[in-house]
Amino acid sequence: NTLVLDGGDTFHGQTIATLNKGESIAKIMNTIGYDAMAPGNHDFNYGYERLVELDGITNFPILSANVVKSDGSSLLTPYVVKEIAGVKVGIFGLTTPETTYKTHPDNVKGLTFQDPAESAKEMVEILKDQTDVIIAIAHLGMDKASVDTSIKVANEVPGIDLIVDAHSHTVLEN
């Protein structure tokens, strides 16, 4: 009755990851039994095509509801529904729009990072009638200097039961 979720910046930053552009990390996550992750800005460092390839290597979905290709389709699966002990859990991913300048621009050329709060509203609308619990895996952070944060999503989007967040390395004292 456990979900293993990841908020991103997972496939880049360690020598073991860099040697094969994230594949070793994908295999480790498969071994651990991850259920889902959202990509962080550094997960685009090898180019978005490589991120899509890594999504094919993982035994779990890499989720992002707000990253859209130039043809208007989603780059990655927006959400998944998992049943755990009879509870239907909807999980969707959000990726920081800061990715457009926190990785090389060529890595995300042709992609649009839509407003996370608006994408979250769409996901809640889709998931609310088919799930018991809704979880957002967000790579948004909580930096006060950032516009699109998990705090903004929490304040503007009713219906999310839990936000698993990454990106800003914020220490929560309480």
Side-chain angles (χ1 to χ4, degrees), residues 38-45 47-48 51 63-70 73 75-76 93-119 139-140 148 152:
N41 48 288
H42 291 300
D43 294 318
F44 289 85
N45 284 359
Y48 76 84
L51 181 58
L63 304 173
S64 189
N66 68 312
V67 181
V68 179
K69 297 187 291 188
S70 58
S73 63
L75 176 67
L76 299 160
L94 298 170
T95 304
T96 180
E98 294 175 355
T99 303
T100 59
Y101 60 86
K102 290 196 171 182
T103 189
H104 192 284
D106 287 345
N107 294 336
V108 293
K109 189 174 184 177
L111 298 180
T112 300
F113 291 76
Q114 297 176 331
D115 180 292
E118 291 305 312
S119 295
H139 192 88
L140 300 174
D148 295 303
K152 177 184 174 193

Side-chain angles (χ1 to χ4, degrees), residues 10 26 29 65 75 77 84 88 94-97 116 151:
T10 308
M29 294 173 80
L75 176 67
T77 302
I84 300 169
K88 291 183 181 173
L94 298 170
T95 304
T96 180
I151 293 170

Side-chain angles (χ1 to χ4, degrees), residues 13-166:
Q14 300 289 329
T15 303
I16 189 173
T18 304
L19 290 173
N20 57 16
K21 297 183 178 179
E23 185 172 343
S24 57
I25 302 302
K27 290 178 178 179
I28 290 168
M29 294 173 80
N30 285 342
T31 300
I32 291 169
Y34 273 72
D35 291 288
M37 73 171 277
N41 48 288
H42 291 300
D43 294 318
F44 289 85
N45 284 359
Y46 308 120
Y48 76 84
E49 297 90 351
R50 180 59 177 164
L51 181 58
V52 171
E53 290 173 359
L54 291 169
D55 185 41
I57 293 170
T58 60
N59 296 336
F60 56 89
I62 300 174
L63 304 173
S64 189
N66 68 312
V67 181
V68 179
K69 297 187 291 188
S70 58
D71 66 3
S73 63
S74 296
L75 176 67
L76 299 160
T77 302
Y79 70 92
V80 66
V81 176
K82 294 189 157 277
E83 188 166 333
I84 300 169
V87 177
K88 291 183 181 173
V89 181
I91 307 165
F92 68 92
L94 298 170
T95 304
T96 180
E98 294 175 355
T99 303
T100 59
Y101 60 86
K102 290 196 171 182
T103 189
H104 192 284
D106 287 345
N107 294 336
V108 293
K109 189 174 184 177
L111 298 180
T112 300
F113 291 76
Q114 297 176 331
D115 180 292
E118 291 305 312
S119 295
K121 287 175 187 173
E122 292 173 21
M123 291 295 96
V124 169
E125 191 62 33
I126 290 168
L127 294 169
K128 68 181 183 182
D129 292 331
Q130 57 178 314
T131 61
D132 302 306
V133 176
I134 298 176
I135 299 173
I137 310 173
H139 192 88
L140 300 174
M142 299 188 299
D143 276 338
K144 290 180 172 75
S146 297
V147 174
D148 295 303
T149 65
S150 285
I151 293 170
K152 177 184 174 193
V153 171
N155 288 335
E156 293 183 9
V157 186
I160 300 172
D161 296 295
L162 174 67
I163 298 175
V164 176
D165 185 53

